[in-house]
């Protein structure tokens, strides 16, 4: 079985070596880029299975890089694990808003890093969705095909990031049930996953925008969390 390819964008050599050592020890292929202005070309050349992207880089910053990748057909579904030295909600929120799938703040545990990488790769292949097993999920005018990783609204394809897709699939697969922000994250990412309430709100906001009028079917339950509105029978 071919090893998954991880492209690590990190300008601090000791941190890159730490990441490479732990990922290679766990069976991944690892390649490094050290300047932001070289990332796009290297992604196109090597076509990694996952990108570990530092926010603060010489040449171009991680936010601009991630935004560019999400605008390109070939890379819009590429899992991006964002790394930042600044433990501030604003950095995390901005990264999630422009399409990053997950984040780590420095310093981080190598074991946590490897676990996050494995989780993102599993979810990209659809082998660990955090939702009940089954075929296509259809509710209201929203259709979700887990096998094709495809979301459609009223027949039109909806372009979601990996995490946005996972949240929508989870809520749509459990209509009427109310879930707290922590429950949503635990179900799609696993228990004890560190996340701010604000970052969950950002993901929900993005989903609603992309679903247009159908975004209203994702309801806010004040003081608790979110639910997908049930379809009413006539």
């Amino acid at each position: 079985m071919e090893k998954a390819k991880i492209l690590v964008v990190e300008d601090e050599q000791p941190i890159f070596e730490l990441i490479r050592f732990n990922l290679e020890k766990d069976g991944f292929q690892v390649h490094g880029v050290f300047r932001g202005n070289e990332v796009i070309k290297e992604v196109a050349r090597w076509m990694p299975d996952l990108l570990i992207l530092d926010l603060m880089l010489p040449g171009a910053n991680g936010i601009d890089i991630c935004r560019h990748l999400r605008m390109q057909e070939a890379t819009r579904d590429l899992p991006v694990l964002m790394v930042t030295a600044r433990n501030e909600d604003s950095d995390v929120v901005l990264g999630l808003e422009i399409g990053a799938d997950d984040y780590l703040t420095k310093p981080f545990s190598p074991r946590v890093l490897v676990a996050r990488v494995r989780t993102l790769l599993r979810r990209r292949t659809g082998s660990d969705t955090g939702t009940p097993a089954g075929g296509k999920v259809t509710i209201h005018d929203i259709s979700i095909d887990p096998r094709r990783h495809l979301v459609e609204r009223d027949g039109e394809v909806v372009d979601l990031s990996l995490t946005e897709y996972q949240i929508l699939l989870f809520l749509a697969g459990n209509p009427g049930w109310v879930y707290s922000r922590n429950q949503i994250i635990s179900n799609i990412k696993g228990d004890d996953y560190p996340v701010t309430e604000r970052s969950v709100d950002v993901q929900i906001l993005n989903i609603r925008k992309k679903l247009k009028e159908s975004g209203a079917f994702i309801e806010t339950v004040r003081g608790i969390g979110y639910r997908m509105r049930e379809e009413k029978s006539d």
Side-chain angles (χ1 to χ4, degrees):
M1 184 176 179
E2 187 177 353
K3 297 178 180 180
K5 300 190 294 185
I6 313 297
L7 182 63
V8 180
V9 184
E10 171 58 65
D11 64 320
E12 296 184 51
Q13 191 69 30
I15 295 178
F16 168 73
E17 294 297 340
L18 175 67
I19 293 173
R20 181 173 67 176
F21 173 79
N22 284 278
L23 290 178
E24 288 182 343
K25 185 173 67 173
D26 213 61
F28 297 106
Q29 297 182 64
V30 181
H31 183 57
V33 175
F34 307 100
R35 293 187 57 83
N37 55 357
E38 300 171 357
V39 177
I40 303 301
K41 181 171 64 177
E42 195 60 27
V43 167
R45 185 192 71 82
W46 201 49
M47 288 307 296
D49 297 296
L50 183 143
L51 180 68
I52 297 177
L53 179 64
D54 194 0
L55 280 187
M56 304 301 294
L57 295 163
N61 66 59
I63 293 294
D64 290 339
I65 293 167
C66 188
R67 182 180 289 113
H68 178 86
L69 292 172
R70 288 298 181 247
M71 293 173 62
Q72 307 304 310
E73 179 72 24
T75 55
R76 67 181 182 184
D77 294 325
L78 174 67
V80 175
L81 175 58
M82 177 177 63
V83 177
T84 175
R86 298 177 297 179
N87 189 11
E88 297 179 359
D89 280 358
S90 58
D91 299 318
V92 172
V93 167
L94 181 57
L96 294 174
E97 282 179 333
I98 51 87
D101 298 293
D102 200 354
Y103 69 93
L104 281 175
T105 54
K106 299 177 184 177
F108 50 80
S109 161
R111 290 179 59 188
V112 171
L113 169 71
V114 172
R116 298 287 183 84
V117 167
R118 286 199 169 279
T119 296
L120 284 176
L121 289 173
R122 284 200 306 270
R123 298 189 191 289
R124 186 190 194 195
T125 60
S127 61
D128 183 12
T129 62
T131 61
K136 185 178 291 187
V137 176
T138 302
I139 185 167
H140 307 295
D141 56 358
I142 303 165
S143 175
I144 309 170
D145 188 342
R147 293 171 186 167
R148 299 168 62 201
H149 204 280
L150 178 69
V151 177
E152 294 179 305
R153 175 209 168 255
D154 200 21
E156 295 184 359
V157 174
V158 180
D159 185 16
L160 300 178
S161 74
L162 180 60
T163 301
E164 291 164 1
Y165 167 83
Q166 292 161 0
I167 292 174
L168 178 61
L169 179 58
F170 174 67
L171 292 176
N174 299 278
W177 289 88
V178 180
Y179 294 95
S180 70
R181 295 162 178 83
N182 285 333
Q183 286 174 323
I184 291 171
I185 293 300
S186 292
N187 274 279
I188 70 169
K189 300 278 190 192
D191 294 332
D192 301 321
Y193 185 90
V195 65
T196 66
E197 290 192 354
R198 172 61 176 152
S199 64
V200 178
D201 293 339
V202 168
Q203 301 283 7
I204 294 289
L205 179 63
N206 288 344
I207 296 170
R208 284 171 168 163
K209 287 180 178 178
K210 293 177 180 181
L211 289 176
K212 300 179 180 176
E213 291 86 352
S214 302
F217 294 126
I218 301 176
E219 300 179 325
T220 300
V221 181
R222 189 176 298 276
I224 302 177
Y226 298 97
R227 70 178 167 208
M228 174 66 73
R229 186 190 307 169
E230 290 184 278
E231 288 191 293
K232 301 298 183 181
S233 58
D234 293 333

